[in-house]
Amino acid sequence: MTNGISKLLLALILAGGGVTGIGLGLKAQAGLKARAVDMATASKPAETAGSDSQSVDQAKLVGEAKALIKQFAGKLKGELVAAMKADGPAAAVGVCQAAAPTVTEEVNANAKGWKIGRTALKLRNPENKPDAFELKVLQEFEKQRANGADPKKLAYKEIVNVDGKRVFRFMKAIPTGKVCLNCHGTEIKDDVRAQLKDLYPEDQATGFKIGDIRGAFTLSRPLD
């Protein structure tokens, strides 16, 4: 898809023209074929480049992915809010470092084939570094946001081929909210900065404003 077509389709979406199933124009990595996406809700079946996904209920898969995101985000937020109320933002940084991996493992252990995690362009935990697929989606999310798209509605789905097997991948942007600014904003308290430096010496995840894209939830599920 050319840049001109992409800009025209984006304009139609933002104008409320009812355009759905618009492809993001992502180039495939390692021979993976890109599929189309509904940026408004990511809930309608994606267009396909072949017959490999014709029998896949993508709407059901998206529903499952969203449910896992809600569960995952709810657990993480609960841990953080409790820590902040008890001991303040600086203590919450330590709780987040300890609790996030545990919550991730717990959710994945009961996810029935799904794998969920988080990634970002500006990392705090280097273990969350995006792979080639995630990097392109994150970059596209940023382009869409810069052109006026609501970060809360940015999502992407695609069926990819990995070693001859089909894998359903789904990503949903994480908007920066008010509570995020305590540890990810532009005006961070000294004790919080000190804690971040101690726990995350290579931290890049600061300087955000409300409405920025903090990162994304990233999910995958084998289909074969």
Side-chain angles (χ1 to χ4, degrees):
M1 182 177 291
T2 65
N3 289 336
I5 293 176
S6 297
K7 291 179 180 178
L8 174 59
L9 292 176
L10 176 61
L12 288 171
I13 294 171
L14 296 179
V19 179
T20 60
I22 303 303
L24 289 180
L26 298 176
K27 291 185 178 179
Q29 294 291 316
L32 305 184
K33 294 180 179 179
R35 302 298 194 267
V37 63
D38 179 349
M39 290 300 298
T41 63
S43 62
K44 297 184 179 181
E47 296 175 2
T48 62
S51 61
D52 60 344
S53 60
Q54 293 294 334
S55 61
V56 177
D57 188 345
Q58 295 193 47
K60 179 181 178 182
L61 290 171
V62 168
E64 292 177 3
K66 288 184 175 181
L68 281 172
I69 289 173
K70 184 176 181 180
Q71 177 187 0
F72 184 56
K75 286 180 176 291
L76 286 176
K77 184 177 180 179
E79 295 279 356
L80 284 175
V81 170
M84 290 183 68
K85 287 183 177 179
D87 302 301
V93 174
V95 171
C96 182
Q97 186 202 39
T102 301
V103 170
T104 302
E105 290 179 6
E106 289 177 352
V107 174
N108 280 326
N110 298 287
K112 298 180 180 179
W114 284 94
K115 181 180 179 181
I116 186 171
R118 294 174 298 164
T119 188
L121 293 176
K122 295 173 65 176
L123 293 169
R124 172 150 292 170
N125 184 347
E127 293 184 2
N128 293 333
K129 181 179 179 180
D131 61 21
F133 174 91
E134 293 164 338
L135 178 61
K136 284 189 172 291
V137 175
L138 287 167
Q139 290 172 337
E140 185 62 31
F141 282 171
E142 288 292 351
K143 291 179 183 178
Q144 297 288 345
R145 185 192 68 82
N147 283 315
D150 184 351
K152 294 180 180 179
K153 296 180 179 180
L154 289 176
Y156 181 74
K157 63 178 180 289
E158 181 179 340
I159 294 177
V160 301
N161 186 291
V162 180
D163 296 329
K165 303 291 185 179
R166 296 175 305 164
V167 177
F168 183 80
R169 301 199 66 167
F170 182 81
M171 291 181 65
K172 191 176 188 308
I174 303 174
T176 302
K178 186 176 180 180
V179 69
C180 304
L181 299 181
N182 289 294
C183 304
H184 294 286
T186 58
E187 298 179 4
I188 299 175
K189 294 181 179 179
D190 291 342
D191 60 338
V192 176
R193 286 191 181 278
Q195 183 77 317
L196 288 172
K197 185 177 181 180
D198 182 47
L199 297 177
Y200 302 101
E202 299 179 5
D203 181 36
Q204 303 170 353
T206 58
F208 290 91
K209 301 183 296 296
I210 291 179
D212 286 345
I213 296 175
R214 167 65 193 90
F217 294 106
T218 177
L219 300 88
S220 63
R221 183 178 184 273
L223 298 177
D224 297 322

